[in-house]
Amino acid sequence: MSDISSETRFLHAVEMGLGAWQWGDRIVWQYGHGYSDEQVREAFRISLQEGVRFIDTAEIYGNGLSERLLGTFIKETDQPVLIATKFFPWPWRFYKGAVVRAMKRSLARLGVESVDLYQIHWPNPIISTEMLMEGLSECVKNGLARTVGVSNFSQSHMLAAYSSLARHNIPLASNQVHYSLLRREVEKDGTLARCKELGIRLIAYSPIEQGMLSGKYSPENPPSGTRARMYAGILPKIKPLIKLMTEIGQDHGGKTNSQIAINWLICKGTMPIPGAKNAQQAQENTGALGWKLTDDEVAKLDEASDAVLA
Ligand SMILES: NC(=O)c1ccc[n+]([C@@H]2O[C@H](COP(=O)([O-])OP(=O)(O)OC[C@H]3O[C@@H](n4cnc5c(N)ncnc54)[C@H](OP(=O)(O)O)[C@@H]3O)[C@@H](O)[C@H]2O)c1
């Protein structure tokens, strides 16, 4: 089994986090329409109150606004917050100094001296993984990042990153990937198993499948914006899965579909980071903590999800 390094152990103790892509993003999430600064401040406050203190942001979320808002919110609380942010590998950022420079800009927006996790947002075929990992290593050695990770890395890319960092005596802390009851590639292709074997924390993004698994959307009531087209093909197929999630939730004293979707990911040994636009969503999502689906329920959900994805 896994040999988790002492530097990254704290990440394995985090059961779930809060995603902050919604904070400032107008393209997918329509920030400013129906929710704004006050609503996301409350989502942050409620999450902390309910014990969720790992927040995932990125320099590109809201063009830096997500990091700036997080920086403001952490100054308003006495509670400790674990901060994860990300470097975006634009093609012109092909030298290791670019990683350190971007890190320093993120730190300035966040108003802190270091973050707990600095991640490469996506691999870029024209930028070498070796170079990106050298940049991340510099961030750790300079005390700017406590640990470092990757995101959207395939198993082979992830292993290259792992080996490259190992040459600098730095563990690869995490791989943040799309994983939900409607996206199970990382489970099927062995990435999740490899993460467990190597002590890499798998952070599951879009755990509620951008709201689709909450059960509130249907072909008759589709989401707005870019999500409408993205989910037009799958929405007509998910009814039996949603029905099963609701039934299982009822057996657990009225847990909601979103809570079932998040808890399923915790049961798979990953750290889900649901995004929340407001206090109500944040409150509901933290209700995924403190209880567990049974093995039998996980198996039934696996089966229903397989049927949708077949
Ligand atoms: N590394 C990457 O490339 C990457 C990519 C995507 C996301 N992420 C990270 O992962 C986080 C989460 O992923 P995500 O935001 O894509 O998707 P998600 O967490 O699956 O869905 C979040 C959306 O679902 C709806 N929602 C949330 N809680 C709900 C509830 N309890 N009931 C009903 N609806 C609810 C909200 O949208 P509506 O109210 O509008 O429906 C919310 O914006 C992001 O914030 C970001 O930090 C990373």
Side-chain angles (χ1 to χ4, degrees):
M1 256 314 272
S2 68
D3 178 20
I4 298 166
S5 75
S6 54
E7 296 95 317
T8 67
R9 191 159 294 143
F10 75 97
L11 270 183
H12 295 261
V14 177
E15 271 202 297
M16 82 176 248
L18 171 68
W21 179 17
Q22 283 69 9
W23 305 5
D25 177 86
R26 291 173 198 278
I27 300 165
V28 175
W29 298 110
Q30 297 155 329
Y31 189 73
H33 291 268
Y35 79 111
S36 198
D37 294 12
E38 268 324 296
Q39 284 71 32
V40 298
R41 172 182 271 112
E42 281 299 290
F44 171 82
R45 195 183 62 75
I46 293 284
S47 297
L48 252 60
Q49 181 187 297
E50 300 301 323
V52 171
R53 59 191 195 96
F54 177 95
I55 318 289
D56 178 74
T57 182
E59 60 173 338
I60 58 163
Y61 294 169
N63 238 331
L65 181 54
S66 177
E67 288 182 329
R68 281 198 296 276
L69 286 169
L70 179 55
T72 304
F73 300 162
I74 53 179
K75 285 192 189 71
E76 296 170 354
T77 178
D78 294 335
Q79 295 190 55
V81 175
L82 295 168
I83 302 174
T85 192
K86 312 186 195 78
F87 168 88
F88 200 83
W90 299 110
W92 54 89
R93 285 175 156 181
F94 53 81
Y95 53 101
K96 75 173 177 186
V99 180
V100 179
R101 238 178 44 201
M103 171 85 276
K104 287 182 177 165
R105 287 192 181 144
S106 283
L107 292 174
R109 281 187 291 272
L110 288 158
V112 295
E113 289 183 357
S114 71
V115 294
D116 297 283
L117 177 65
Y118 195 39
Q119 308 152 98
I120 302 296
H121 209 142
W122 288 86
N124 182 333
I126 66 162
I127 305 181
S128 86
T129 299
E130 186 72 34
M131 190 291 294
L132 290 170
M133 296 307 120
E134 272 181 39
L136 287 184
S137 305
E138 288 286 307
C139 292
V140 174
K141 286 173 191 159
N142 296 339
L144 307 177
R146 179 177 173 192
T147 64
V148 289
V150 293
S151 177
N152 297 300
F153 273 43
S154 65
Q155 190 177 162
S156 60
H157 271 119
M158 179 180 87
L159 293 176
Y162 179 91
S163 306
S164 179
L165 283 173
R167 287 192 277 281
H168 298 272
N169 280 324
I170 291 174
L172 176 66
S174 58
N175 189 4
Q176 181 180 136
V177 290
H178 197 163
Y179 186 27
S180 78
L181 273 160
L182 294 175
R183 280 296 295 268
R184 292 176 57 198
E185 288 89 334
V186 292
E187 185 185 331
K188 307 275 184 190
D189 71 9
T191 304
L192 172 59
R194 189 49 73 94
C195 282
K196 289 182 181 173
E197 187 189 313
L198 297 175
I200 300 167
R201 189 72 163 131
L202 190 142
I203 301 178
Y205 76 66
S206 303
I208 315 169
E209 201 52 48
Q210 303 200 342
M212 301 312 118
L213 288 166
S214 72
K216 69 182 173 184
Y217 296 120
S218 63
E220 297 75 38
N221 179 36
S224 56
T226 54
R227 285 181 292 167
R229 195 150 37 102
M230 194 189 308
Y231 291 109
I234 198 119
L235 269 181
K237 301 186 200 161
I238 64 173
K239 219 170 165 184
L241 173 63
I242 298 292
K243 184 167 171 283
L244 175 68
M245 293 169 78
T246 307
E247 284 164 10
I248 291 176
Q250 278 159 4
D251 292 343
H252 283 273
K255 293 292 177 195
T256 66
N257 290 349
S258 299
Q259 291 165 348
I260 299 291
I262 298 166
N263 196 280
W264 177 83
L265 285 161
I266 295 173
C267 292
K268 294 282 180 180
T270 74
M271 185 215 295
I273 48 166
K277 289 177 160 179
N278 52 46
Q280 186 270 325
Q281 291 182 348
Q283 180 84 54
E284 180 177 333
N285 296 343
T286 60
L289 291 173
W291 61 280
K292 281 271 171 77
L293 292 161
T294 65
D295 290 349
D296 186 45
E297 288 164 342
V298 170
K300 282 189 179 139
L301 288 164
D302 285 357
E303 206 180 305
S305 131
D306 278 336
V308 175
L309 298 173

